[in-house]
Amino acid sequence: MKHNARRVVTTGAVLSALVALGAGAADASGGVDRWGSVPAITKGTGVTAPNALSPGLAERAVAQGSNRLENPAGDAAYYGYHADGPLLPQPGATQSSGHNVEATKSEPDKNTYLRLRGLHGADPKYDYGTHFLFQGHEHGPGYITRINLDADAAHRVTLLATKTTDGAELPAFDGSTWNPFAKKLLLTAEDSANGGVWQSDPDVGAKVQDISNVLGRGAYEGIQADSAGNLWIVEDAGGAVPSGTSARLPNSFVYRFVPKDKGDLTKGGTLQALQVISRRTGQPIGFTPMDATHPTGAVFSDDTKDLHTYGTVFETRWVTLHQGDASSTPFDANALAKAAKATPFKRPENGVFRPGADFREFFFTETGDTNATSKANGAYGGWGEIYRLTQTDPAADQGKLTIFYNGDQEHTGLDNIAFVDRDHVAAVEDAGDTLHSQRGAFDSAYLFDLNADYAKGRQPVRFLAEGRDPSATIDSAWSALGNGFQNDGDNEITGIHVSDGDPTVAGLLGEKRPRPFHGDWRIFWTQQHGDNTTWEITQD
């Protein structure tokens, strides 16, 4: 497999090379604050477009959907395709029930980078190296793959598992992280009824366990461990849409799981949810269903408006939802959160701890409504946000919540998030095909400066403008036919990930101050849909 760097230089001043990044700087910021904005890529019918990155940055493909798995099994034959059709539509093809014009895309999602020794693959005689990138796949039937970054083309992608230890098929996975305390991969499934958390070994033939009996069922997506061994989980459960609004009810929660034994999650623990206190009433901001008294629920409530207003500081506390052990059975975390008057948000996607802050600052995204016609856009959070939750320590029961960034049409649908250094966080868009067409532009990745005041009109740096690859352009055309075509259209940015791959507790995301392009620090992202290419961002 070839790994050719590809870069599109757009108009703007040529920036200094990023050689100063982290070198001798206390916060390792170096040249990150000199990344320059590039224009968004315009959407046009039938038009493909390459990605564009800030001058000084480049990208190389580390895997793409058509990479054949070195150990295919059943429906899992390729990195980004299931085995239920050809990889591209054939001349004269017609979509119909039971017949796909092209294979269903598996959609590799959140990336987790690790440096591990002694891992194996399908070939017992091959040295698979020490640098690996793990993904769950978002479109089921689910499976877990590992990109062997040091390997040749034949051994590039290894299938780790398609089933749990008890023989159940894996679900479609969205989030992933590494739990260094238990030495397990953690993967989340974004399914309100059947979602939850699974843990897996990192080697071929991985033993995968569904541990939702202790962590609950929910539309879980982002998941991170803190220095105390707690797990922080954000949920992406879309709410109902009141008639004529194009706006969704806040229906998703932020959770914290406190294990009994951080080295063995199966022993159980306590699941909590974040509760925000109203500044108007002093009472918890809980879920408000649509009924005769509240025909639009809390979509346009004063509390919802306050939650999306710059400069407003809220008191928070964690409320207990469930305490369990190994004998517990799966439970509905979302329902328990509503009953406990935890605070719902508009589709949080992912969350990360600020590096060098002792896990006292947690930033999480809110995707919003991803529709330019939503009447909640602007004042009521329809465009999406980034929140900052601060506590005296990660195990504290109380904290404070503020808006860090309030989105707009150009910066919306915020999804995956990753710190690039102590003072800069990257967030990427999943705006969706509808909003792409409404605003005439594809998704982008933005760099936010924690020292900036975005309430005064400043905007983040667009360091990556995503284009649309040929396969996604074809899929977009098929999707427009409305004939039951099963694949998504335009490309989406997902899996932004910055890590040095340290698998120890010292390597927890948020423990070290990132130094991209130095030592083992690397940046990855996945261009989901279409060709399903996973990229590494490098210096040009």
Side-chain angles (χ1 to χ4, degrees):
M1 179 179 177
K2 296 180 180 179
H3 308 292
N4 296 323
R6 180 174 68 166
R7 177 173 66 92
V8 179
V9 179
T10 60
T11 57
V14 177
L15 303 180
S16 302
L18 305 182
V19 295
L21 182 60
D27 64 356
S29 62
V32 172
D33 57 0
R34 296 196 296 274
W35 289 5
S37 277
V38 294
I41 304 297
T42 300
K43 178 175 179 175
T45 302
V47 178
T48 68
N51 305 324
L53 292 101
S54 294
L57 299 181
E59 60 184 13
R60 69 180 187 98
V62 297
Q64 64 183 44
S66 56
N67 276 116
R68 188 167 179 82
L69 302 176
E70 66 160 351
N71 54 338
D75 190 62
Y78 295 89
Y79 174 60
Y81 293 84
H82 293 295
D84 59 356
L87 302 193
L88 287 172
Q90 301 301 296
T94 301
Q95 181 81 18
S96 62
S97 178
H99 174 73
N100 294 329
V101 297
E102 68 177 27
T104 302
K105 310 293 176 72
S106 71
E107 311 293 9
D109 203 329
K110 189 74 172 68
N111 293 300
T112 296
Y113 168 54
L114 294 170
R115 290 180 287 121
L116 296 168
R117 296 186 179 277
L119 295 191
H120 310 86
D123 185 348
K125 298 181 180 180
Y126 188 77
D127 181 357
Y128 285 82
T130 58
H131 299 80
F132 305 96
L133 196 63
F134 299 84
Q135 303 89 12
H137 292 246
E138 188 177 5
H139 205 304
Y143 55 89
I144 305 169
T145 54
R146 186 187 72 205
I147 300 174
N148 308 307
L149 296 166
D150 301 327
D152 60 19
H155 302 88
R156 191 65 172 178
V157 187
T158 301
L159 176 67
L160 297 188
T162 61
K163 296 183 178 181
T164 63
T165 53
D166 60 6
E169 283 193 350
L170 295 181
F173 288 126
D174 293 89
S176 70
T177 195
W178 174 250
N179 181 3
F181 301 100
K183 297 180 174 58
K184 299 282 188 179
L185 289 165
L186 298 178
L187 300 108
T188 57
E190 183 193 351
D191 184 317
S192 295
N194 301 304
V197 180
W198 281 251
Q199 66 176 16
S200 172
D201 300 318
D203 214 351
V204 67
K207 295 179 180 179
V208 185
Q209 295 173 281
D210 180 354
I211 55 175
S212 301
N213 64 312
V214 294
L215 282 106
R217 297 283 183 212
Y220 294 162
E221 186 152 348
I223 182 168
Q224 296 290 345
D226 65 28
S227 56
N230 305 317
L231 301 178
W232 296 52
I233 306 170
V234 295
E235 184 180 38
D236 180 11
V241 179
S243 177
T245 69
S246 299
R248 293 187 178 275
L249 265 67
N251 189 50
S252 306
F253 298 89
V254 177
Y255 302 92
R256 184 176 69 178
F257 178 72
V258 182
K260 290 183 177 180
D261 180 351
K262 59 188 176 184
D264 185 355
L265 299 179
T266 64
K267 292 182 179 179
T270 301
L271 183 70
Q272 304 169 318
L274 187 68
Q275 184 183 77
V276 183
I277 307 303
S278 170
R279 288 173 55 88
R280 294 173 181 266
T281 67
Q283 299 300 308
I285 302 174
F287 175 77
T288 302
M290 292 189 298
D291 55 27
T293 305
H294 306 93
T296 59
V299 172
F300 304 109
S301 72
D302 290 336
D303 284 329
T304 296
K305 184 175 183 179
D306 289 347
L307 279 167
H308 300 92
T309 300
Y310 281 116
T312 309
V313 181
F314 293 88
E315 300 292 329
T316 66
R317 57 189 175 217
W318 293 99
V319 293
T320 296
L321 306 183
H322 182 272
Q323 292 178 310
D325 55 27
S327 65
S328 299
T329 56
F331 55 92
D332 187 334
N334 186 281
L336 291 181
K338 289 174 180 174
K341 297 185 178 180
T343 300
F345 295 89
K346 292 175 73 72
R347 298 180 56 207
E349 294 268 356
N350 281 272
V352 286
F353 292 99
R354 183 181 185 180
D358 297 325
F359 296 88
R360 293 174 299 182
E361 295 183 47
F362 184 70
F363 288 73
F364 63 94
T365 56
E366 193 179 48
T367 298
D369 295 327
T370 61
N371 193 321
T373 68
S374 169
K375 293 182 179 179
N377 289 339
Y380 296 94
W383 293 126
E385 292 64 40
I386 301 176
Y387 284 100
R388 181 193 332 228
L389 174 64
T390 58
Q391 300 185 168
T392 55
D393 64 70
D397 291 328
Q398 297 178 328
K400 296 184 184 298
L401 182 73
T402 58
I403 278 281
F404 168 67
Y405 179 78
N406 208 353
D408 55 28
Q409 181 166 296
E410 188 178 358
H411 316 83
T412 187
L414 298 176
D415 192 300
N416 282 198
I417 184 171
F419 270 93
V420 180
D421 64 19
R422 174 180 168 81
D423 295 322
H424 294 87
V425 67
V428 303
E429 290 181 311
D430 175 14
D433 289 21
T434 297
L435 189 49
H436 293 168
S437 297
Q438 289 172 336
R439 69 181 185 182
F442 296 121
D443 289 338
S444 295
Y446 301 101
L447 186 70
F448 295 86
D449 184 347
L450 267 62
N451 296 313
D453 184 356
Y454 292 104
K456 297 182 179 179
R458 181 169 171 177
Q459 294 296 348
V461 170
R462 180 187 286 108
F463 69 92
L464 165 63
E466 186 180 45
R468 186 169 63 180
D469 64 38
S471 291
T473 306
I474 293 172
D475 291 349
S476 178
W478 275 97
S479 297
L481 296 176
N483 58 1
F485 182 69
Q486 83 282 10
N487 286 325
D488 290 296
D490 299 339
N491 292 118
E492 168 197 334
I493 303 176
T494 191
I496 186 74
H497 183 62
V498 182
S499 171
D500 69 347
D502 183 351
T504 70
V505 174
L508 278 168
L509 296 180
E511 185 68 57
K512 301 178 183 178
R513 300 180 181 187
R515 303 180 69 231
F517 320 130
H518 285 72
D520 285 298
W521 286 97
R522 301 170 77 166
I523 304 176
F524 299 95
W525 72 283
T526 296
Q527 188 166 3
Q528 207 177 47
H529 312 322
D531 288 334
N532 280 295
T533 302
T534 295
W535 302 95
E536 178 175 5
I537 295 178
T538 65
Q539 289 179 292
D540 188 17

